[in-house]
Amino acid sequence: LGLNAETAITFGTGLLGLSGMYAYVDPKGNLEQYGITKTDASGLDNMRWAGAQQLTGAAILAADPEQAVGLSGYYAAWNLIASAPATLATGFPKAAIYGWAAVCAALGKKTLSGDVSPWALVAVWGLNGIQQHFMQDQVVDMYGANKQTKLGKSMMGIAGQSMMMAGVYMGALTQGKSQAEAFGITWAVGGLLVTKFAFTEAEGLGAPKTGPLVWAVISAGIAYACLK
């Protein structure tokens, strides 16, 4: 791609934000861009949820690296509240949604003040991401939500991918990595996850592999530019 680290960070952050905005505002149109024309309410609501996660991830990537972890708690709270219509429609209870928003905001405040280790929020992002990416049925059962369709579970997995990327980025920063190193590691992980989607889920949803593989190539380029 011919990018240096600074340009790659700007490009990657903007790309993730624009993708999230499109998915949040027009989930059906976003899915159609990837060749998924057969949609359902579960899929669309979870696509909107995934878009919210991408937007939040972009906000974390755009934040001052020294404050990114603490700010992520506030961003998570805003995300949960803003996407509540979609998550409520999928059957997730209000108590869980607003309870998590309160917990994340409190952790954000305590992290920024130095009263709580940043690893607490890193764990929240990472563990929730792992659950939503790999264990959708268990997440649904744990919260007593509605049974999700195949498309709904797949889009919940995309949301989990963004959470995992955020967790990886903040974990790397907390370990003392530079912003460029953390960014590169994050996009390398994202590239691997989207490649997995291309070969394990896309065909079952009626989507060609092209779209996710383009994301994989872009992710690899961003990772290379930041880590070289």
Side-chain angles (χ1 to χ4, degrees), residues 92-118:
F92 283 85
K94 285 183 180 180
I97 294 168
Y98 295 111
W100 266 114
V103 168
C104 289
L107 284 174
K109 181 179 180 180
K110 292 293 185 181
T111 301
L112 289 171
S113 67
D115 295 323
V116 170
S117 167

mmCIF file with all atom_site columns, all heavy atoms in Angstrom, residues 92-118:
data_model
loop_
_atom_site.group_PDB
_atom_site.id
_atom_site.type_symbol
_atom_site.label_atom_id
_atom_site.label_alt_id
_atom_site.label_comp_id
_atom_site.label_asym_id
_atom_site.label_entity_id
_atom_site.label_seq_id
_atom_site.pdbx_PDB_ins_code
_atom_site.Cartn_x
_atom_site.Cartn_y
_atom_site.Cartn_z
_atom_site.occupancy
_atom_site.B_iso_or_equiv
_atom_site.pdbx_formal_charge
_atom_site.auth_seq_id
_atom_site.auth_comp_id
_atom_site.auth_asym_id
_atom_site.auth_atom_id
_atom_site.pdbx_PDB_model_num
ATOM 1   N N   . PHE A 1 92  ? -32.272 -8.916  24.302 1.00 0.00 ? 92  PHE A N   1
ATOM 2   C CA  . PHE A 1 92  ? -31.371 -8.711  25.449 1.00 0.00 ? 92  PHE A CA  1
ATOM 3   C C   . PHE A 1 92  ? -32.058 -7.772  26.442 1.00 0.00 ? 92  PHE A C   1
ATOM 4   O O   . PHE A 1 92  ? -32.652 -6.766  26.056 1.00 0.00 ? 92  PHE A O   1
ATOM 5   C CB  . PHE A 1 92  ? -30.030 -8.133  24.984 1.00 0.00 ? 92  PHE A CB  1
ATOM 6   C CG  . PHE A 1 92  ? -29.143 -9.164  24.349 1.00 0.00 ? 92  PHE A CG  1
ATOM 7   C CD1 . PHE A 1 92  ? -29.274 -9.480  22.997 1.00 0.00 ? 92  PHE A CD1 1
ATOM 8   C CD2 . PHE A 1 92  ? -28.205 -9.850  25.096 1.00 0.00 ? 92  PHE A CD2 1
ATOM 9   C CE1 . PHE A 1 92  ? -28.482 -10.446 22.409 1.00 0.00 ? 92  PHE A CE1 1
ATOM 10  C CE2 . PHE A 1 92  ? -27.398 -10.827 24.515 1.00 0.00 ? 92  PHE A CE2 1
ATOM 11  C CZ  . PHE A 1 92  ? -27.541 -11.123 23.170 1.00 0.00 ? 92  PHE A CZ  1
ATOM 12  N N   . PRO A 1 93  ? -32.023 -8.085  27.725 1.00 0.00 ? 93  PRO A N   1
ATOM 13  C CA  . PRO A 1 93  ? -32.776 -7.321  28.723 1.00 0.00 ? 93  PRO A CA  1
ATOM 14  C C   . PRO A 1 93  ? -32.191 -5.936  29.000 1.00 0.00 ? 93  PRO A C   1
ATOM 15  O O   . PRO A 1 93  ? -30.973 -5.733  28.924 1.00 0.00 ? 93  PRO A O   1
ATOM 16  C CB  . PRO A 1 93  ? -32.700 -8.211  29.971 1.00 0.00 ? 93  PRO A CB  1
ATOM 17  C CG  . PRO A 1 93  ? -31.453 -9.015  29.782 1.00 0.00 ? 93  PRO A CG  1
ATOM 18  C CD  . PRO A 1 93  ? -31.329 -9.248  28.306 1.00 0.00 ? 93  PRO A CD  1
ATOM 19  N N   . LYS A 1 94  ? -33.086 -5.017  29.338 1.00 0.00 ? 94  LYS A N   1
ATOM 20  C CA  . LYS A 1 94  ? -32.653 -3.657  29.662 1.00 0.00 ? 94  LYS A CA  1
ATOM 21  C C   . LYS A 1 94  ? -31.650 -3.648  30.806 1.00 0.00 ? 94  LYS A C   1
ATOM 22  O O   . LYS A 1 94  ? -30.686 -2.870  30.795 1.00 0.00 ? 94  LYS A O   1
ATOM 23  C CB  . LYS A 1 94  ? -33.870 -2.794  30.043 1.00 0.00 ? 94  LYS A CB  1
ATOM 24  C CG  . LYS A 1 94  ? -34.749 -2.362  28.894 1.00 0.00 ? 94  LYS A CG  1
ATOM 25  C CD  . LYS A 1 94  ? -35.866 -1.446  29.389 1.00 0.00 ? 94  LYS A CD  1
ATOM 26  C CE  . LYS A 1 94  ? -36.750 -1.001  28.245 1.00 0.00 ? 94  LYS A CE  1
ATOM 27  N NZ  . LYS A 1 94  ? -37.847 -0.100  28.728 1.00 0.00 ? 94  LYS A NZ  1
ATOM 28  N N   . ALA A 1 95  ? -31.893 -4.485  31.805 1.00 0.00 ? 95  ALA A N   1
ATOM 29  C CA  . ALA A 1 95  ? -31.016 -4.499  32.979 1.00 0.00 ? 95  ALA A CA  1
ATOM 30  C C   . ALA A 1 95  ? -29.579 -4.801  32.586 1.00 0.00 ? 95  ALA A C   1
ATOM 31  O O   . ALA A 1 95  ? -28.626 -4.197  33.107 1.00 0.00 ? 95  ALA A O   1
ATOM 32  C CB  . ALA A 1 95  ? -31.514 -5.522  33.994 1.00 0.00 ? 95  ALA A CB  1
ATOM 33  N N   . ALA A 1 96  ? -29.396 -5.740  31.655 1.00 0.00 ? 96  ALA A N   1
ATOM 34  C CA  . ALA A 1 96  ? -28.044 -6.097  31.222 1.00 0.00 ? 96  ALA A CA  1
ATOM 35  C C   . ALA A 1 96  ? -27.410 -4.961  30.419 1.00 0.00 ? 96  ALA A C   1
ATOM 36  O O   . ALA A 1 96  ? -26.241 -4.615  30.622 1.00 0.00 ? 96  ALA A O   1
ATOM 37  C CB  . ALA A 1 96  ? -28.084 -7.367  30.390 1.00 0.00 ? 96  ALA A CB  1
ATOM 38  N N   . ILE A 1 97  ? -28.189 -4.375  29.510 1.00 0.00 ? 97  ILE A N   1
ATOM 39  C CA  . ILE A 1 97  ? -27.657 -3.319  28.652 1.00 0.00 ? 97  ILE A CA  1
ATOM 40  C C   . ILE A 1 97  ? -27.236 -2.098  29.469 1.00 0.00 ? 97  ILE A C   1
ATOM 41  O O   . ILE A 1 97  ? -26.092 -1.627  29.379 1.00 0.00 ? 97  ILE A O   1
ATOM 42  C CB  . ILE A 1 97  ? -28.709 -2.919  27.595 1.00 0.00 ? 97  ILE A CB  1
ATOM 43  C CG1 . ILE A 1 97  ? -28.967 -4.084  26.637 1.00 0.00 ? 97  ILE A CG1 1
ATOM 44  C CG2 . ILE A 1 97  ? -28.250 -1.680  26.824 1.00 0.00 ? 97  ILE A CG2 1
ATOM 45  C CD1 . ILE A 1 97  ? -30.182 -3.901  25.759 1.00 0.00 ? 97  ILE A CD1 1
ATOM 46  N N   . TYR A 1 98  ? -28.153 -1.604  30.288 1.00 0.00 ? 98  TYR A N   1
ATOM 47  C CA  . TYR A 1 98  ? -27.846 -0.384  31.037 1.00 0.00 ? 98  TYR A CA  1
ATOM 48  C C   . TYR A 1 98  ? -26.949 -0.676  32.235 1.00 0.00 ? 98  TYR A C   1
ATOM 49  O O   . TYR A 1 98  ? -26.184 0.193   32.675 1.00 0.00 ? 98  TYR A O   1
ATOM 50  C CB  . TYR A 1 98  ? -29.141 0.308   31.441 1.00 0.00 ? 98  TYR A CB  1
ATOM 51  C CG  . TYR A 1 98  ? -29.918 0.800   30.240 1.00 0.00 ? 98  TYR A CG  1
ATOM 52  C CD1 . TYR A 1 98  ? -31.134 0.212   29.867 1.00 0.00 ? 98  TYR A CD1 1
ATOM 53  C CD2 . TYR A 1 98  ? -29.418 1.821   29.453 1.00 0.00 ? 98  TYR A CD2 1
ATOM 54  C CE1 . TYR A 1 98  ? -31.820 0.636   28.750 1.00 0.00 ? 98  TYR A CE1 1
ATOM 55  C CE2 . TYR A 1 98  ? -30.100 2.258   28.320 1.00 0.00 ? 98  TYR A CE2 1
ATOM 56  C CZ  . TYR A 1 98  ? -31.296 1.659   27.982 1.00 0.00 ? 98  TYR A CZ  1
ATOM 57  O OH  . TYR A 1 98  ? -31.973 2.076   26.866 1.00 0.00 ? 98  TYR A OH  1
ATOM 58  N N   . GLY A 1 99  ? -27.013 -1.909  32.740 1.00 0.00 ? 99  GLY A N   1
ATOM 59  C CA  . GLY A 1 99  ? -26.098 -2.298  33.802 1.00 0.00 ? 99  GLY A CA  1
ATOM 60  C C   . GLY A 1 99  ? -24.655 -2.304  33.315 1.00 0.00 ? 99  GLY A C   1
ATOM 61  O O   . GLY A 1 99  ? -23.754 -1.777  33.980 1.00 0.00 ? 99  GLY A O   1
ATOM 62  N N   . TRP A 1 100 ? -24.432 -2.886  32.143 1.00 0.00 ? 100 TRP A N   1
ATOM 63  C CA  . TRP A 1 100 ? -23.101 -2.883  31.557 1.00 0.00 ? 100 TRP A CA  1
ATOM 64  C C   . TRP A 1 100 ? -22.640 -1.466  31.241 1.00 0.00 ? 100 TRP A C   1
ATOM 65  O O   . TRP A 1 100 ? -21.452 -1.127  31.401 1.00 0.00 ? 100 TRP A O   1
ATOM 66  C CB  . TRP A 1 100 ? -23.057 -3.735  30.294 1.00 0.00 ? 100 TRP A CB  1
ATOM 67  C CG  . TRP A 1 100 ? -22.631 -5.142  30.506 1.00 0.00 ? 100 TRP A CG  1
ATOM 68  C CD1 . TRP A 1 100 ? -23.364 -6.281  30.351 1.00 0.00 ? 100 TRP A CD1 1
ATOM 69  C CD2 . TRP A 1 100 ? -21.332 -5.586  30.916 1.00 0.00 ? 100 TRP A CD2 1
ATOM 70  N NE1 . TRP A 1 100 ? -22.614 -7.393  30.647 1.00 0.00 ? 100 TRP A NE1 1
ATOM 71  C CE2 . TRP A 1 100 ? -21.364 -7.003  30.989 1.00 0.00 ? 100 TRP A CE2 1
ATOM 72  C CE3 . TRP A 1 100 ? -20.143 -4.921  31.239 1.00 0.00 ? 100 TRP A CE3 1
ATOM 73  C CZ2 . TRP A 1 100 ? -20.248 -7.759  31.363 1.00 0.00 ? 100 TRP A CZ2 1
ATOM 74  C CZ3 . TRP A 1 100 ? -19.032 -5.675  31.620 1.00 0.00 ? 100 TRP A CZ3 1
ATOM 75  C CH2 . TRP A 1 100 ? -19.096 -7.069  31.674 1.00 0.00 ? 100 TRP A CH2 1
ATOM 76  N N   . ALA A 1 101 ? -23.568 -0.618  30.787 1.00 0.00 ? 101 ALA A N   1
ATOM 77  C CA  . ALA A 1 101 ? -23.204 0.779   30.499 1.00 0.00 ? 101 ALA A CA  1
ATOM 78  C C   . ALA A 1 101 ? -22.700 1.465   31.767 1.00 0.00 ? 101 ALA A C   1
ATOM 79  O O   . ALA A 1 101 ? -21.688 2.196   31.741 1.00 0.00 ? 101 ALA A O   1
ATOM 80  C CB  . ALA A 1 101 ? -24.401 1.528   29.913 1.00 0.00 ? 101 ALA A CB  1
ATOM 81  N N   . ALA A 1 102 ? -23.381 1.240   32.872 1.00 0.00 ? 102 ALA A N   1
ATOM 82  C CA  . ALA A 1 102 ? -22.971 1.851   34.142 1.00 0.00 ? 102 ALA A CA  1
ATOM 83  C C   . ALA A 1 102 ? -21.615 1.322   34.597 1.00 0.00 ? 102 ALA A C   1
ATOM 84  O O   . ALA A 1 102 ? -20.748 2.084   35.045 1.00 0.00 ? 102 ALA A O   1
ATOM 85  C CB  . ALA A 1 102 ? -24.023 1.590   35.211 1.00 0.00 ? 102 ALA A CB  1
ATOM 86  N N   . VAL A 1 103 ? -21.416 0.012   34.469 1.00 0.00 ? 103 VAL A N   1
ATOM 87  C CA  . VAL A 1 103 ? -20.144 -0.600  34.869 1.00 0.00 ? 103 VAL A CA  1
ATOM 88  C C   . VAL A 1 103 ? -18.998 -0.052  34.020 1.00 0.00 ? 103 VAL A C   1
ATOM 89  O O   . VAL A 1 103 ? -17.928 0.308   34.543 1.00 0.00 ? 103 VAL A O   1
ATOM 90  C CB  . VAL A 1 103 ? -20.215 -2.138  34.736 1.00 0.00 ? 103 VAL A CB  1
ATOM 91  C CG1 . VAL A 1 103 ? -18.823 -2.761  34.860 1.00 0.00 ? 103 VAL A CG1 1
ATOM 92  C CG2 . VAL A 1 103 ? -21.145 -2.715  35.794 1.00 0.00 ? 103 VAL A CG2 1
ATOM 93  N N   . CYS A 1 104 ? -19.215 0.024   32.718 1.00 0.00 ? 104 CYS A N   1
ATOM 94  C CA  . CYS A 1 104 ? -18.154 0.502   31.823 1.00 0.00 ? 104 CYS A CA  1
ATOM 95  C C   . CYS A 1 104 ? -17.812 1.960   32.093 1.00 0.00 ? 104 CYS A C   1
ATOM 96  O O   . CYS A 1 104 ? -16.624 2.341   32.109 1.00 0.00 ? 104 CYS A O   1
ATOM 97  C CB  . CYS A 1 104 ? -18.579 0.328   30.365 1.00 0.00 ? 104 CYS A CB  1
ATOM 98  S SG  . CYS A 1 104 ? -18.620 -1.401  29.821 1.00 0.00 ? 104 CYS A SG  1
ATOM 99  N N   . ALA A 1 105 ? -18.834 2.795   32.311 1.00 0.00 ? 105 ALA A N   1
ATOM 100 C CA  . ALA A 1 105 ? -18.573 4.206   32.616 1.00 0.00 ? 105 ALA A CA  1
ATOM 101 C C   . ALA A 1 105 ? -17.808 4.349   33.924 1.00 0.00 ? 105 ALA A C   1
ATOM 102 O O   . ALA A 1 105 ? -16.860 5.148   34.027 1.00 0.00 ? 105 ALA A O   1
ATOM 103 C CB  . ALA A 1 105 ? -19.890 4.975   32.677 1.00 0.00 ? 105 ALA A CB  1
ATOM 104 N N   . ALA A 1 106 ? -18.185 3.564   34.929 1.00 0.00 ? 106 ALA A N   1
ATOM 105 C CA  . ALA A 1 106 ? -17.489 3.617   36.219 1.00 0.00 ? 106 ALA A CA  1
ATOM 106 C C   . ALA A 1 106 ? -16.043 3.171   36.078 1.00 0.00 ? 106 ALA A C   1
ATOM 107 O O   . ALA A 1 106 ? -15.128 3.794   36.645 1.00 0.00 ? 106 ALA A O   1
ATOM 108 C CB  . ALA A 1 106 ? -18.213 2.746   37.237 1.00 0.00 ? 106 ALA A CB  1
ATOM 109 N N   . LEU A 1 107 ? -15.818 2.102   35.314 1.00 0.00 ? 107 LEU A N   1
ATOM 110 C CA  . LEU A 1 107 ? -14.455 1.636   35.086 1.00 0.00 ? 107 LEU A CA  1
ATOM 111 C C   . LEU A 1 107 ? -13.639 2.671   34.315 1.00 0.00 ? 107 LEU A C   1
ATOM 112 O O   . LEU A 1 107 ? -12.448 2.857   34.577 1.00 0.00 ? 107 LEU A O   1
ATOM 113 C CB  . LEU A 1 107 ? -14.460 0.311   34.326 1.00 0.00 ? 107 LEU A CB  1
ATOM 114 C CG  . LEU A 1 107 ? -14.832 -0.931  35.128 1.00 0.00 ? 107 LEU A CG  1
ATOM 115 C CD1 . LEU A 1 107 ? -14.939 -2.153  34.209 1.00 0.00 ? 107 LEU A CD1 1
ATOM 116 C CD2 . LEU A 1 107 ? -13.807 -1.200  36.229 1.00 0.00 ? 107 LEU A CD2 1
ATOM 117 N N   . GLY A 1 108 ? -14.299 3.335   33.355 1.00 0.00 ? 108 GLY A N   1
ATOM 118 C CA  . GLY A 1 108 ? -13.607 4.379   32.613 1.00 0.00 ? 108 GLY A CA  1
ATOM 119 C C   . GLY A 1 108 ? -13.130 5.500   33.525 1.00 0.00 ? 108 GLY A C   1
ATOM 120 O O   . GLY A 1 108 ? -11.966 5.940   33.460 1.00 0.00 ? 108 GLY A O   1
ATOM 121 N N   . LYS A 1 109 ? -14.017 5.945   34.390 1.00 0.00 ? 109 LYS A N   1
ATOM 122 C CA  . LYS A 1 109 ? -13.667 7.017   35.331 1.00 0.00 ? 109 LYS A CA  1
ATOM 123 C C   . LYS A 1 109 ? -12.538 6.592   36.258 1.00 0.00 ? 109 LYS A C   1
ATOM 124 O O   . LYS A 1 109 ? -11.565 7.336   36.475 1.00 0.00 ? 109 LYS A O   1
ATOM 125 C CB  . LYS A 1 109 ? -14.902 7.405   36.151 1.00 0.00 ? 109 LYS A CB  1
ATOM 126 C CG  . LYS A 1 109 ? -14.650 8.525   37.153 1.00 0.00 ? 109 LYS A CG  1
ATOM 127 C CD  . LYS A 1 109 ? -15.924 8.877   37.912 1.00 0.00 ? 109 LYS A CD  1
ATOM 128 C CE  . LYS A 1 109 ? -15.652 10.006  38.922 1.00 0.00 ? 109 LYS A CE  1
ATOM 129 N NZ  . LYS A 1 109 ? -16.884 10.364  39.671 1.00 0.00 ? 109 LYS A NZ  1
ATOM 130 N N   . LYS A 1 110 ? -12.635 5.401   36.811 1.00 0.00 ? 110 LYS A N   1
ATOM 131 C CA  . LYS A 1 110 ? -11.631 4.917   37.760 1.00 0.00 ? 110 LYS A CA  1
ATOM 132 C C   . LYS A 1 110 ? -10.292 4.632   37.069 1.00 0.00 ? 110 LYS A C   1
ATOM 133 O O   . LYS A 1 110 ? -9.221  4.808   37.673 1.00 0.00 ? 110 LYS A O   1
ATOM 134 C CB  . LYS A 1 110 ? -12.130 3.647   38.448 1.00 0.00 ? 110 LYS A CB  1
ATOM 135 C CG  . LYS A 1 110 ? -13.307 3.873   39.389 1.00 0.00 ? 110 LYS A CG  1
ATOM 136 C CD  . LYS A 1 110 ? -12.904 4.693   40.603 1.00 0.00 ? 110 LYS A CD  1
ATOM 137 C CE  . LYS A 1 110 ? -14.027 4.816   41.607 1.00 0.00 ? 110 LYS A CE  1
ATOM 138 N NZ  . LYS A 1 110 ? -13.638 5.638   42.789 1.00 0.00 ? 110 LYS A NZ  1
ATOM 139 N N   . THR A 1 111 ? -10.351 4.222   35.813 1.00 0.00 ? 111 THR A N   1
ATOM 140 C CA  . THR A 1 111 ? -9.113  3.970   35.081 1.00 0.00 ? 111 THR A CA  1
ATOM 141 C C   . THR A 1 111 ? -8.392  5.278   34.783 1.00 0.00 ? 111 THR A C   1
ATOM 142 O O   . THR A 1 111 ? -7.174  5.384   34.950 1.00 0.00 ? 111 THR A O   1
ATOM 143 C CB  . THR A 1 111 ? -9.400  3.218   33.773 1.00 0.00 ? 111 THR A CB  1
ATOM 144 O OG1 . THR A 1 111 ? -10.053 1.980   34.070 1.00 0.00 ? 111 THR A OG1 1
ATOM 145 C CG2 . THR A 1 111 ? -8.119  2.935   32.997 1.00 0.00 ? 111 THR A CG2 1
ATOM 146 N N   . LEU A 1 112 ? -9.136  6.278   34.368 1.00 0.00 ? 112 LEU A N   1
ATOM 147 C CA  . LEU A 1 112 ? -8.525  7.574   34.063 1.00 0.00 ? 112 LEU A CA  1
ATOM 148 C C   . LEU A 1 112 ? -7.940  8.240   35.313 1.00 0.00 ? 112 LEU A C   1
ATOM 149 O O   . LEU A 1 112 ? -6.936  8.949   35.233 1.00 0.00 ? 112 LEU A O   1
ATOM 150 C CB  . LEU A 1 112 ? -9.556  8.511   33.411 1.00 0.00 ? 112 LEU A CB  1
ATOM 151 C CG  . LEU A 1 112 ? -9.958  8.144   31.972 1.00 0.00 ? 112 LEU A CG  1
ATOM 152 C CD1 . LEU A 1 112 ? -11.128 9.004   31.521 1.00 0.00 ? 112 LEU A CD1 1
ATOM 153 C CD2 . LEU A 1 112 ? -8.772  8.337   31.015 1.00 0.00 ? 112 LEU A CD2 1
ATOM 154 N N   . SER A 1 113 ? -8.549  7.986   36.471 1.00 0.00 ? 113 SER A N   1
ATOM 155 C CA  . SER A 1 113 ? -8.051  8.576   37.713 1.00 0.00 ? 113 SER A CA  1
ATOM 156 C C   . SER A 1 113 ? -6.912  7.749   38.321 1.00 0.00 ? 113 SER A C   1
ATOM 157 O O   . SER A 1 113 ? -6.269  8.175   39.285 1.00 0.00 ? 113 SER A O   1
ATOM 158 C CB  . SER A 1 113 ? -9.188  8.699   38.737 1.00 0.00 ? 113 SER A CB  1
ATOM 159 O OG  . SER A 1 113 ? -9.634  7.411   39.162 1.00 0.00 ? 113 SER A OG  1
ATOM 160 N N   . GLY A 1 114 ? -6.662  6.568   37.768 1.00 0.00 ? 114 GLY A N   1
ATOM 161 C CA  . GLY A 1 114 ? -5.599  5.719   38.271 1.00 0.00 ? 114 GLY A CA  1
ATOM 162 C C   . GLY A 1 114 ? -5.998  4.832   39.427 1.00 0.00 ? 114 GLY A C   1
ATOM 163 O O   . GLY A 1 114 ? -5.150  4.154   40.025 1.00 0.00 ? 114 GLY A O   1
ATOM 164 N N   . ASP A 1 115 ? -7.286  4.801   39.752 1.00 0.00 ? 115 ASP A N   1
ATOM 165 C CA  . ASP A 1 115 ? -7.755  3.995   40.883 1.00 0.00 ? 115 ASP A CA  1
ATOM 166 C C   . ASP A 1 115 ? -7.990  2.528   40.522 1.00 0.00 ? 115 ASP A C   1
ATOM 167 O O   . ASP A 1 115 ? -8.112  1.681   41.411 1.00 0.00 ? 115 ASP A O   1
ATOM 168 C CB  . ASP A 1 115 ? -9.044  4.588   41.450 1.00 0.00 ? 115 ASP A CB  1
ATOM 169 C CG  . ASP A 1 115 ? -8.826  5.971   42.054 1.00 0.00 ? 115 ASP A CG  1
ATOM 170 O OD1 . ASP A 1 115 ? -7.764  6.172   42.668 1.00 0.00 ? 115 ASP A OD1 1
ATOM 171 O OD2 . ASP A 1 115 ? -9.703  6.839   41.894 1.00 0.00 ? 115 ASP A OD2 1
ATOM 172 N N   . VAL A 1 116 ? -8.104  2.235   39.228 1.00 0.00 ? 116 VAL A N   1
ATOM 173 C CA  . VAL A 1 116 ? -8.326  0.867   38.761 1.00 0.00 ? 116 VAL A CA  1
ATOM 174 C C   . VAL A 1 116 ? -7.315  0.561   37.664 1.00 0.00 ? 116 VAL A C   1
ATOM 175 O O   . VAL A 1 116 ? -7.029  1.418   36.815 1.00 0.00 ? 116 VAL A O   1
ATOM 176 C CB  . VAL A 1 116 ? -9.770  0.687   38.231 1.00 0.00 ? 116 VAL A CB  1
ATOM 177 C CG1 . VAL A 1 116 ? -9.937  -0.648  37.525 1.00 0.00 ? 116 VAL A CG1 1
ATOM 178 C CG2 . VAL A 1 116 ? -10.775 0.789   39.365 1.00 0.00 ? 116 VAL A CG2 1
ATOM 179 N N   . SER A 1 117 ? -6.792  -0.639  37.668 1.00 0.00 ? 117 SER A N   1
ATOM 180 C CA  . SER A 1 117 ? -5.841  -1.049  36.642 1.00 0.00 ? 117 SER A CA  1
ATOM 181 C C   . SER A 1 117 ? -6.490  -1.017  35.259 1.00 0.00 ? 117 SER A C   1
ATOM 182 O O   . SER A 1 117 ? -7.650  -1.433  35.097 1.00 0.00 ? 117 SER A O   1
ATOM 183 C CB  . SER A 1 117 ? -5.349  -2.471  36.926 1.00 0.00 ? 117 SER A CB  1
ATOM 184 O OG  . SER A 1 117 ? -4.657  -3.002  35.811 1.00 0.00 ? 117 SER A OG  1
ATOM 185 N N   . PRO A 1 118 ? -5.760  -0.562  34.253 1.00 0.00 ? 118 PRO A N   1
ATOM 186 C CA  . PRO A 1 118 ? -6.322  -0.579  32.892 1.00 0.00 ? 118 PRO A CA  1
ATOM 187 C C   . PRO A 1 118 ? -6.652  -1.983  32.405 1.00 0.00 ? 118 PRO A C   1
ATOM 188 O O   . PRO A 1 118 ? -7.466  -2.154  31.490 1.00 0.00 ? 118 PRO A O   1
ATOM 189 C CB  . PRO A 1 118 ? -5.217  0.059   32.042 1.00 0.00 ? 118 PRO A CB  1
ATOM 190 C CG  . PRO A 1 118 ? -3.973  -0.065  32.853 1.00 0.00 ? 118 PRO A CG  1
ATOM 191 C CD  . PRO A 1 118 ? -4.409  0.022   34.279 1.00 0.00 ? 118 PRO A CD  1
#
